[in-house]
Amino acid sequence: EPVDLSDSWGRCQMALGEKDAARGSIEKAIAQGPNRYQGYFLRGQWNLAYGNLDDAVRDFRNTVALKSSCGEAHYYLGALYRRKEMLTEARAELELALALSPELVPVHIEHARLEAFTGNPQLAAQILRIAQKRFPDDGRIREELSNLHPAK
């Protein structure tokens, strides 16, 4: 049986800025079958990149419905829910993302942003300091800490 690489080709097209071609490849990947969680995930990224936030939420929900262990999809849902101020949902998705994919630095950063947004800057700083110990060479964490506590 031939292997369909539509979702991979869609990633390449997105990276090259070929918006319409990428969307076509992504739709082809999804049409290959209902268990193509990668296609929904990639379409979620596409929708996020082009500002279609509600569509991105739908696609990331479809991703986790097909593959609940996809920590990165839970991360995107958490980030989108925070932006939409759906804080209970954001917290639940970010906790899942942390449990499933603790190696993803953006999950720790988004978790800290949620805590800062909900009025817990001390907890946000603590989350970032713990992440910084785990990932000492990652400049994104240092930058987020400096944004949380700007130099005077």
Side-chain angles (χ1 to χ4, degrees):
E1 184 174 320
V3 176
D4 178 53
L5 298 175
S6 298
D7 57 335
S8 296
W9 185 236
R11 286 182 198 281
C12 292
Q13 291 167 319
M14 277 181 62
L16 293 171
E18 298 173 0
K19 178 182 177 182
D20 294 331
R23 182 64 185 234
S25 294
I26 294 165
E27 295 302 331
K28 183 178 177 191
I30 292 170
Q32 296 300 316
N35 293 326
R36 293 304 305 256
Y37 78 92
Q38 300 99 329
Y40 287 111
F41 180 81
L42 188 56
R43 190 170 68 186
Q45 289 182 313
W46 187 94
N47 278 313
L48 183 58
Y50 293 105
N52 307 321
L53 302 187
D54 290 334
D55 291 337
V57 167
R58 180 203 64 222
D59 288 326
F60 291 125
R61 281 183 182 159
N62 284 335
T63 301
V64 299
L66 294 170
K67 186 171 182 181
S68 61
S69 64
C70 184
E72 198 170 358
H74 289 288
Y75 154 70
Y76 280 115
L77 280 170
L80 285 163
Y81 288 148
R82 181 184 62 82
R83 286 174 71 176
K84 295 167 79 60
E85 297 189 25
M86 299 169 64
L87 304 180
T88 301
E89 294 87 346
R91 187 173 311 283
E93 292 297 339
L94 290 171
E95 287 174 2
L96 275 169
L98 283 167
L100 293 167
S101 301
E103 75 284 357
L104 294 177
V105 171
V107 176
H108 299 273
I109 291 171
E110 189 60 36
H111 184 206
R113 287 177 180 168
L114 175 65
E115 295 304 338
F117 184 79
T118 58
N120 298 310
Q122 294 84 7
L123 182 54
Q126 180 182 3
I127 290 165
L128 291 171
R129 283 192 295 274
I130 291 169
Q132 192 171 40
K133 287 179 184 174
R134 184 166 182 193
F135 310 101
D137 298 326
D138 197 303
R140 295 173 292 181
I141 298 168
R142 284 190 299 277
E143 182 178 339
E144 197 69 26
L145 268 167
S146 69
N147 289 339
L148 193 59
H149 299 293
K152 295 181 180 180

